[in-house]
Amino acid sequence: MNGTLSALAEPNRLRIVEMLRKGPSSVNEIAERLELSQPLVSKHLRVLREAGIVRVRAEAQQRVYELQPEPFEQLETWVSSFRRLWEERLDSLDEYVQQMKRDRK
């Protein structure tokens, strides 16, 4: 998961991932839509591929990239563990505030 977070920390890679959420795209399509050079997009896609975030397949003369679901499922599990923690803390804070209100009366 650490590799996933590192790969997504770079703004252009995050933009590429956001674009691929809509469906598979070729390197040239990504470069054109995001107004980035093809070599730069290829570099970012290599990092994303090595992190397991995207996979590539050949279609005629093009390389088409698409998202892999597994890294995002792992991130969801990790974030969910924090969500439970913060819900518990917020519940405790709410109880404290309610007690303070009762004590004022």
Side-chain angles (χ1 to χ4, degrees), residues 44-105:
H44 287 310
L45 286 167
R46 186 185 78 247
V47 172
L48 292 169
R49 189 182 72 247
E50 289 171 357
I53 295 171
V54 299
R55 70 175 162 221
V56 61
R57 68 182 179 339
E59 269 187 23
Q61 300 296 324
Q62 297 183 35
R63 295 172 60 83
V64 176
Y65 288 81
E66 60 188 341
L67 294 178
Q68 293 278 78
E70 293 83 9
F72 298 100
E73 292 165 356
Q74 292 171 356
L75 281 174
E76 172 61 26
T77 300
W78 183 70
V79 169
S80 292
S81 70
F82 285 96
R83 186 176 300 122
R84 286 189 299 273
L85 172 71
W86 281 106
E87 286 174 356
E88 290 171 9
R89 289 183 179 182
L90 288 173
D91 287 345
S92 293
L93 177 61
D94 185 50
E95 289 173 21
Y96 176 76
V97 169
Q98 295 304 321
Q99 183 62 45
M100 296 285 292
K101 287 179 180 179
R102 286 191 294 273
D103 290 348
R104 283 188 180 165
K105 291 181 179 180

Side-chain angles (χ1 to χ4, degrees), residues 10-58:
E10 202 285 329
N12 284 321
R13 288 195 286 267
L14 188 57
R15 290 174 60 208
I16 291 169
V17 168
E18 285 296 323
M19 185 183 149
L20 292 175
R21 287 177 66 182
K22 297 175 181 120
S25 293
S26 70
V27 175
N28 290 333
E29 289 170 332
I30 295 167
E32 184 178 309
R33 286 189 204 155
L34 299 182
E35 297 180 349
L36 299 170
S37 70
Q38 186 274 328
L40 181 61
V41 170
S42 292
K43 175 185 154 196
H44 287 310
L45 286 167
R46 186 185 78 247
V47 172
L48 292 169
R49 189 182 72 247
E50 289 171 357
I53 295 171
V54 299
R55 70 175 162 221
V56 61
R57 68 182 179 339

